[in-house]
Amino acid sequence: MDSRIYNLMEIIRPRVKEVGFSFYLLKKNKLTLAAFYVIVALFVLAILAPYIVPYPSHISDEANVANKLLPPSGEYLFGTDELGRDIFSRVIYGIRISLTTAILAVGLAIIIGVPLGAIAGTIGGWVDEVIMRITDIFLSFPPLLLAIAIVSIVGSSLNNAIIAIALSWWPWYTRLVRGQAVSLKERKFIQAAEAIGTSKWKIIFSHVVPNTISPVIVQASMDMGGVILTIASLSFLGLGAQAPTPEWGLMINTSRNYFLNAWWYSIFPGLAIFITVLAFNLLGDGFREIMDPKTRKR
Amino acid sequence: MISYIIRRLSLGIIVLLGVITITFTIARIIPSDPAAKWAGPRATQEQIQKAREHLGLDKPLIVQYWRYLKDCIKGDLGYSLRTHQPIKEELKAFIPATLELVIIAFIFATIIGIPLGIYSAKMKDQLLDHLSRLFSIGAVSLPTFWVGLFLQLIFYNKLELLPLGGQVSNEIKILYEIPRVTGMLLFDCILTSNWVVFFDALKHYILPCITIALYPIGLVARMTRSALLEVLNEDYIIAAKSYGLKDRKVLWVYALKNTLGSTAIVLTLSLGYTLVDTFLVEAIFSWPGLGNYVATAVTTLDYPAIIGVTIFSTACYVILNLVADIIIALDPRVRL
Amino acid sequence: MLSAYFEIRNLKIDYKTYEKQQNVLDIERIAIEKGKTYGVVGESGSGKTVLALAIMGLLPCPPGIIKSGEIIFDGEDLLKKNNKEMAQKYRGRRIAMIFQDPMSTLNPVFTVGYQMMQVIRQHQNLNKKEAYKKAIEMIQVVKLPDAEDIMKKYPHQLSGGQRQRIIIAMALACGAEFLIADEPTRNLDVTIQASILKLMKELQKKFGVTVLFIANNLSLVSTFCDEIAILHDGKIAEQGRVKDVIGSPQNYYTKILINSVTKGESVVRKKQERDEVLLEVKSLKKYFPVKKRKSERLFVKAVDDVDLKIYKGEVVGIVGESGCGKSTLVNTILNLHEPTSGEVLFEGKNIFQLDKNQLRKTRKDIQIVFQDPYWSLNPRWLVKDIVSEPIKVHEKLNSISILKRVEDLLELVGLPKSSAFKYPHEFSGGQRQRIAIARALAVNPKLVVLDEPTSSIDVISQAQILELLKELRERLGLTNILISHDLSVVNYMADKVIIMYLGKIVEYGDAAEVFKNPLHPYTKALFNSIPTLESSDIESLATLEGNVPSAINPPSGCRFHTRCSMANERCSREMPVMKEYSNNHSTACFLYEQ
């Protein structure tokens, strides 16, 4: 085992260098770095939400009508809603809901989309044809519309919204991965594996899929923003989260009845959506640049 | 070329059949009974049975599918559960107002988004580029419905400059005759030279149009920029410069034509986004359009109406994509 | 100091990268007299394209930083000109550039004519009609037939050679007096390359142009140029008159470069005991269907009726230009696709009629080393996983013994054991090729196909890899099929050589014999079109008229008759068959019937 020690170092060193290089590129792009910090902060807030918000009980439908629709103050940073709940607490708690739902939706889309794309691209022929025509059909719905149709019929709930979004989002990953797989096939290591006698499934899942990871990560980070926006939109239509969940879109929907008298009610959840989505979009943009082989070439 | 168009068209038809199948599948997994809904809350068992027969729900699934397919092809989208009216007729009444919004937003996306993207690419990493990127990325990060509320808050509530919603003021509605030719109000006003109504309507259009147009402008600017930057990195651009062609010419003549395909795709995509954004925004602005219709259908669980709108919008979107594909086919690299 | 017509002095260019700011070009002096041809030889990464772009004022900065120096052209320092001045007065008008890849140099969405006219009208005050006439004239100058027709075509409708001619025409259209040619023949076949070079030489004389010729091929540059400079790692290793540099090289690197070209023929060419046939190919056909036009079904006849035998322990070289079917032949032998008809017998068994288990076993016995080690190794796998992939497929071993095997293999190909836990990108091209060789050898194959094993690695590694292959062959008694466009490699390695043209074998025999005494007109043209260090000038190279005909509708009779100077009426009618001309040397040509 003595000779194995140096092996460990050999494995770690280039990885560290790689990560260091990514950070270097990240640092060069100030905006991306800022977005990165914002997202880290959002995750921390999401995890700690139950412990740090001033009124943890206000995330339920507990009513405190005496304090309803109070403007922002030292006591209620973002004011209160029609049931007298602290909007600040609810907005912070909302991070948790938006992030988890978005991660679940994107993750589900990846789980469906990536294998299909890798299979279509690697095997080709009629399998490719069938898979890609099905993706075409799903992609010919205007964005969001399929999700609206599914949820409004299956029933409004956050879980259904996640499934509906994944169902309308997976084709993008299939397309992306298929394109990657097709160009990977040109790379000789796939042919080499074939010539060696490696089975098709092994080629798909150990040669093709690992090589599509970075474009998929880039795509996923760019999609996070869009998915958060979509969830908020569905909830705004009453199709996603249901009261009393402190979901931002739903909060804005409820606030419509009061917004001319209580501006704070709709402004703060909206700002929360904007900041979160913006941070993810900026990070996605930056990721794309960092992962781009053209940029990585030293 | 013609054979290519025929091929794309047949593919479009396959896609539409797929779309109809998917919507049929969705409609059949409804947990509640549409017949009961049709018959009303206090209906007897007999009435529900009658409704079921009337709606053809007693037939085998495959027969239902066949009938559904035939109806869709004929343009018959069934009856609304809420109003018991043919959905086709209802759509006809609601489409023009939405179409007008979508067209205006599309025009803005084209005349603001594309140049913004081009200049941003041209001035890469300069101040203008940073500002334009920040704007466009901000625009696609904003929740549309919230922008609508926000604008109302400022321009109606605080500044009292613009109306809250609707297409024309109530006084004008009473005092003047509202022209109805195509159903698109601004357009109809111009057609009938009805300027009083036109200017009143114009005021009502400002906020919804800004709200709707923001997203496509940002999207188009972003995608135009990245498509153009990609082309500008190509060897033939460096070669064109090496022949002494002016930078201006290289950009506007050489590079731009190469981005035609991706621009066509983005514009189509942005139209899709705009259409769906109207679903979120029209209710806020009390706009008598498709979006408002959908929002009502969603809250009253009027499935046939939702499915009808889905099929109709998807059909439009498929046709738009077809147009984009034909534009892309003008690129000689695409083998026909 | 009085300067030459074109002169570079103390040019230092840096590239800013992640880790550091790195010097990529440091040239003390290059001076070119008017009307002369100056060659720069360098491998990829030596900074030659940076040099070309810096002269044109088109070097992207950042990441490039021009630290110091002067580029003096006709008394003016080009580095002091701003972009506008360069565009108006120099680029295209006085200095023009020919890029390496003719496909990506022409804009794909405009017709050739449009692009030519744009360039012409940019510099000359002509109306559309006059510009059109001028463009036609230039197309004729570069000797392309049907100029009017070509004007209307898009770049992808032309062949590589035609595109490069158009690019030369565009470069000369506005009367440029100084031409920078950056590997102008890189992606072209050798016979086409010779004709392009001849054209360039002719036009250079006709228009009195000064040429800076940049390429990675020493023989090519030395044949084409009056003076050369050897560029290595951004610095000039050696420069001077061609004769001096080649005749008495001083620099270490120059010597290696020269050695790599003149490696000569195989010294240990053993007489084979020809009893055991390892692989036999019988009337093999591989047609690829192309799009139907109307009801007619069309095929690309990539390999058409090929017979060959490979004996145990032999190295057989397959030579031919792109599209001759050599890759298809090899892929079929590897069972990567089914043949249209014919048989491939490996150890007497038809590999297309094997059941799954037998096929697996055959796969184990036939391995391949691909051309580009960058593309042939999965970048996300550790070297140990790459090398052990065949072992895992074909043998049941535990991970410790697999690792042991991998380490042995790595040592066998001359890499340290510790390489096992690295990723491919941590190695140089030559080392990566060693990894690929280790993988091919992992399951003790009987036949190893070498697909251009040295063509995408640097010269120094090339020599070492060839040495290694030779050594392994002797040590392990391997049988090899070697595909290469580099005749010197084939000459060095192979016992037998096969020449292919348009899906058919035209000549076949012992390598020594074929190289010494080529028979088929195509073989002769092929051999003579390649510049060597001995070729005195470009004029002495053989060229072939016209393009390679389409493999969809190949010429009747002898496939080569459309381009053959010796062809007669019979050649277009009848298909010549393979005949043995002398001991172990066969060809398919009517000239040698008796």
Side-chain angles (χ1 to χ4, degrees), chain B residues 25-292:
Chain B
T25 318
I26 298 172
R28 285 309 119 178
I29 50 173
I30 307 169
S32 68
D33 186 355
K37 190 127 180 49
W38 173 274
R42 271 184 292 274
T44 62
Q45 201 60 35
E46 200 176 321
Q47 280 170 315
I48 292 176
Q49 187 55 35
K50 234 189 191 143
R52 184 166 292 133
E53 277 162 32
H54 176 74
L55 295 170
L57 293 171
D58 52 340
K59 305 255 169 39
L61 213 59
I62 187 84
V63 178
Q64 288 187 39
Y65 176 67
W66 180 242
R67 206 177 109 178
Y68 181 80
L69 197 67
K70 264 200 319 213
D71 287 349
C72 282
I73 291 166
K74 276 189 288 188
D76 179 359
L77 299 168
Y79 292 85
S80 156
L81 290 181
R82 185 171 54 94
T83 61
H84 292 209
Q85 295 299 309
I87 291 165
K88 191 173 145 192
E89 296 307 316
E90 295 198 321
L91 288 187
K92 266 189 196 157
F94 285 111
I95 285 167
T98 296
L99 193 61
E100 203 173 15
L101 270 188
V102 170
I103 289 173
I104 293 173
F106 178 74
I107 292 171
F108 276 122
T110 315
I111 62 172
I112 300 176
I114 293 179
L116 200 61
I118 292 173
Y119 277 105
S120 191
K122 193 182 158 198
M123 313 256 179
K124 187 179 183 299
D125 290 333
Q126 292 172 27
L127 186 65
L128 182 81
D129 179 33
H130 290 314
L131 289 179
S132 126
R133 282 178 75 189
L134 214 55
F135 166 77
S136 48
I137 209 163
V140 297
S141 307
L142 283 165
T144 322
F145 50 93
W146 180 72
V147 175
L149 290 173
F150 186 72
L151 290 177
Q152 282 180 332
L153 206 59
I154 292 178
F155 291 95
Y156 170 76
N157 204 20
K158 295 277 179 281
L159 301 176
E160 294 176 17
L161 274 177
L162 295 169
L164 186 62
Q167 280 190 313
V168 270
S169 316
N170 282 334
E171 312 90 83
I172 299 281
K173 249 191 221 162
I174 295 161
L175 292 175
Y176 295 86
E177 197 189 334
I178 307 299
R180 272 214 161 264
V181 187
T182 60
M184 294 190 269
L185 187 60
L186 283 186
F187 192 58
D188 289 347
C189 289
I190 297 172
L191 279 184
T192 54
S193 330
N194 196 338
W195 302 114
V196 183
V197 180
F198 179 81
F199 284 111
D200 181 70
L202 200 59
K203 264 189 174 171
H204 287 79
Y205 271 73
I206 292 176
L207 292 187
C209 283
I210 293 178
T211 312
I212 295 275
L214 219 48
Y215 192 94
I217 291 174
L219 186 71
V220 170
R222 262 178 104 186
M223 305 271 250
T224 307
R225 175 181 183 271
S226 63
L228 192 56
L229 280 180
E230 206 153 284
V231 171
L232 286 176
N233 265 329
E234 295 282 346
D235 281 356
Y236 51 78
I237 295 297
I238 302 173
K241 283 182 185 167
S242 86
Y243 298 131
L245 293 180
K246 291 196 186 86
D247 284 1
R248 200 156 30 94
K249 197 163 213 167
V250 170
L251 176 71
W252 291 96
V253 181
Y254 268 50
L256 223 48
K257 195 172 172 188
N258 288 282
T259 62
L260 198 66
S262 35
T263 312
I265 292 172
V266 181
L267 286 175
T268 327
L269 191 65
S270 78
L271 271 172
Y273 274 111
T274 328
L275 181 69
V276 177
D277 271 350
T278 60
F279 297 179
L280 299 166
V281 172
E282 281 184 5
I284 296 173
F285 290 104
S286 333
W287 203 259
L290 206 56
N292 222 335

Side-chain angles (χ1 to χ4, degrees), chain C residues 125-274:
Chain C
N125 196 11
L126 298 176
N127 64 29
K128 264 201 172 133
K129 235 180 170 170
E130 290 164 327
Y132 184 81
K133 253 179 77 186
K134 174 87 183 169
I136 295 269
E137 196 187 305
M138 287 315 295
I139 293 177
Q140 283 158 352
V141 164
V142 293
K143 299 187 178 157
L144 283 174
D146 308 324
E148 304 238 348
D149 190 40
I150 284 185
M151 290 281 283
K152 281 187 229 124
K153 285 195 166 151
Y154 286 96
H156 70 269
Q157 295 169 310
L158 303 178
S159 73
Q162 288 174 322
R163 281 195 288 263
Q164 197 57 288
R165 281 171 194 261
I166 292 292
I167 286 162
I168 294 172
M170 279 168 81
L172 294 173
C174 304
E177 46 186 296
F178 185 65
L179 200 59
I180 303 169
D182 183 7
E183 303 223 36
T185 58
R186 182 181 181 132
N187 295 324
L188 301 176
D189 280 323
V190 279
T191 52
I192 307 285
Q193 162 176 297
S195 62
I196 293 279
L197 291 174
K198 274 190 177 173
L199 174 76
M200 281 179 64
K201 201 81 204 173
E202 189 186 318
L203 296 179
Q204 183 186 5
K205 281 192 189 121
K206 184 168 169 184
F207 292 95
V209 183
T210 312
V211 175
L212 176 64
F213 191 90
I214 302 174
N216 64 355
N217 185 324
L218 178 65
S219 322
L220 177 65
V221 178
S222 66
T223 311
F224 195 80
C225 301
D226 305 313
E227 274 185 74
I228 56 170
I230 313 285
L231 199 62
H232 182 50
D233 282 344
K235 294 187 179 62
I236 290 181
E238 195 157 353
Q239 67 190 124
R241 294 226 319 267
V242 170
K243 257 189 213 137
D244 302 338
V245 173
I246 297 200
S248 51
Q250 302 300 313
N251 182 283
Y252 167 73
Y253 179 73
T254 317
K255 283 179 193 162
I256 292 178
L257 213 52
I258 290 172
N259 269 334
S260 76
V261 185
T262 54
K263 51 182 88 74
E265 65 183 67
S266 176
V267 200
V268 273
R269 198 165 266 158
K270 281 182 289 187
K271 264 275 165 269
Q272 298 302 322
E273 57 275 37
R274 5 174 60 216

Side-chain angles (χ1 to χ4, degrees), chain C residues 42-58:
Chain C
E43 300 181 62
S44 56
S46 64
K48 42 189 207 313
T49 301
V50 172
L51 172 66
L53 291 177
I55 297 170
M56 296 302 288
L58 291 173

Side-chain angles (χ1 to χ4, degrees), chain A residues 1 3-4 6-7 10-11 13-15 17-18 20-21 24 186-189 191-199 202-203 206-208 210-214 298, chain C residues 17-19 331 334 336 360 363-364 366-368 370 374-382 389-390 392-394 400 403 407 417-418 421-423 425-426 439 451:
Chain A
M1 275 298 122
S3 65
R4 298 289 172 266
Y6 74 88
N7 285 338
E10 296 283 341
I11 303 170
R13 195 174 38 79
R15 301 280 91 181
K17 217 167 134 193
E18 201 70 3
F21 182 55
Y24 161 80
E186 298 298 305
R187 294 191 121 195
K188 301 283 180 177
F189 64 83
Q191 279 185 33
E194 267 176 58
I196 284 166
T198 310
S199 73
K202 189 120 203 278
I203 290 179
S206 60
H207 278 297
V208 176
N211 275 291
T212 59
I213 284 177
S214 30
R298 310 167 198 192
Chain C
T17 57
Y18 160 47
E19 275 139 347
N331 284 344
L334 287 168
L336 289 178
R360 200 170 257 261
R363 286 240 149 110
K364 174 174 172 285
I366 309 178
Q367 294 292 323
I368 181 166
F370 286 102
Y374 181 77
W375 294 99
S376 67
L377 306 177
N378 188 337
R380 303 220 165 251
W381 281 22
L382 288 168
E389 189 181 6
K392 282 177 188 153
V393 171
H394 294 292
I400 304 266
L403 189 62
E407 287 178 342
K417 277 185 184 174
S418 61
F421 287 90
K422 289 185 178 175
Y423 285 93
H425 71 257
E426 298 173 63
R439 171 175 62 185
D451 184 359

Side-chain angles (χ1 to χ4, degrees), chain A residues 2-250:
Chain A
D2 54 327
S3 65
R4 298 289 172 266
I5 304 288
Y6 74 88
N7 285 338
L8 196 64
M9 284 316 291
E10 296 283 341
I11 303 170
I12 294 169
R13 195 174 38 79
R15 301 280 91 181
V16 169
K17 217 167 134 193
E18 201 70 3
V19 172
F21 182 55
S22 299
F23 261 98
Y24 161 80
L25 289 172
L26 194 63
K27 267 186 208 147
K28 271 212 315 204
N29 194 337
K30 294 274 165 4
L31 224 46
T32 314
L33 191 66
F36 180 73
Y37 287 139
V38 170
I39 288 168
V40 170
L42 286 172
F43 270 98
V44 171
L45 283 176
I47 293 164
L48 299 179
Y51 313 107
I52 55 168
V53 294
Y55 303 94
S57 61
H58 284 192
I59 55 156
S60 67
D61 51 2
E62 176 189 275
N64 191 358
V65 190
N67 292 336
K68 73 170 189 184
L69 296 177
L70 293 178
S73 64
E75 195 177 350
Y76 300 109
L77 272 179
F78 292 174
T80 61
D81 65 10
E82 81 282 6
L83 293 177
R85 295 173 296 189
D86 177 33
I87 293 177
F88 178 72
S89 300
R90 291 176 64 80
V91 165
I92 295 297
Y93 209 88
I95 301 172
R96 203 181 183 150
I97 291 171
S98 290
L99 290 186
T100 28
T101 45
I103 289 171
L104 285 175
V106 172
L108 201 54
I110 288 175
I111 290 171
I112 305 172
V114 170
L116 281 176
I119 290 168
T122 317
I123 292 183
W126 66 268
V127 176
D128 181 27
E129 197 64 27
V130 169
I131 293 179
M132 291 328 284
R133 288 300 80 77
I134 293 173
T135 29
D136 278 351
I137 291 167
F138 274 87
L139 284 176
S140 38
F141 289 95
L144 193 60
L145 191 58
L146 184 60
I148 291 180
I150 293 174
V151 188
S152 61
I153 287 168
V154 181
S156 310
S157 80
L158 208 48
N159 287 344
N160 287 346
I162 291 171
I163 293 166
I165 289 171
L167 276 181
S168 47
W169 225 284
W170 66 267
W172 293 106
Y173 290 96
T174 306
R175 258 199 191 173
L176 173 79
V177 170
R178 179 191 174 267
Q180 294 283 325
V182 167
S183 64
L184 275 172
K185 249 168 78 176
E186 298 298 305
R187 294 191 121 195
K188 301 283 180 177
F189 64 83
I190 303 285
Q191 279 185 33
E194 267 176 58
I196 284 166
T198 310
S199 73
K200 272 264 185 277
W201 292 108
K202 189 120 203 278
I203 290 179
I204 292 172
F205 289 102
S206 60
H207 278 297
V208 176
V209 171
N211 275 291
T212 59
I213 284 177
S214 30
V216 167
I217 289 178
V218 171
Q219 187 64 38
S221 67
M222 305 220 304
D223 283 351
M224 279 296 285
V227 169
I228 292 173
L229 214 50
T230 307
I231 291 169
S233 303
L234 285 176
S235 299
F236 177 77
L237 283 175
L239 292 173
Q242 301 297 314
T245 317
E247 204 283 338
W248 296 331
L250 180 65

